[in-house]
Structures are given as structure tokens and as C-alpha cells.
Amino acid sequence: MRFRTSPSPAASKMQDRSSDDLQREYDLITRERNGGHNALSAINAQNDIARELERRNR
């Protein structure tokens, strides 16, 4: 398994989005994952969102 050492290209675009918008997207991905949709790209996106929200001290 290969681990990413840098954020996805979408992560840089996250800086332009509001924290509320990022939190809504994070929650949506959580609901999809709870429903059994565990695509690696969704997991990576969720991790990037979590990092950005953490960076903002939310």
C-alpha cells in the first residue's frame, strides 16, 4: 500500500471554501461511507477536508 505524502490537488482549492461548506461535504462523505461506499478517492478527500478544518482550528 502506498501512502500519500502530500495533499490532493483539490486540497489547495479547499482554502477558498468556507469551513461550514467543508464540514457539510465531510458529513456527506461520512454518510456515503456509512452506506457502504468506501472508495479510496472519497477516503482521501475526507482526510484532506479533515486536515484543512484542523488547520483552521475548527
Side-chain angles (χ1 to χ4, degrees), residues 26-44:
Y26 184 91
D27 293 342
L28 174 64
I29 294 170
T30 298
R31 287 193 299 276
E32 290 174 348
R33 291 181 65 193
N34 288 342
H37 302 283
N38 288 313
L40 186 58
S41 61
I43 294 168
N44 289 338

Side-chain angles (χ1 to χ4, degrees), residues 4-28:
R4 292 185 316 146
T5 56
S6 61
S8 71
S12 63
K13 295 177 185 170
M14 288 182 200
Q15 294 176 357
D16 298 333
R17 296 172 61 190
S18 72
S19 294
D20 289 338
D21 187 35
L22 291 174
Q23 187 63 51
R24 281 191 293 275
E25 184 172 351
Y26 184 91
D27 293 342
L28 174 64

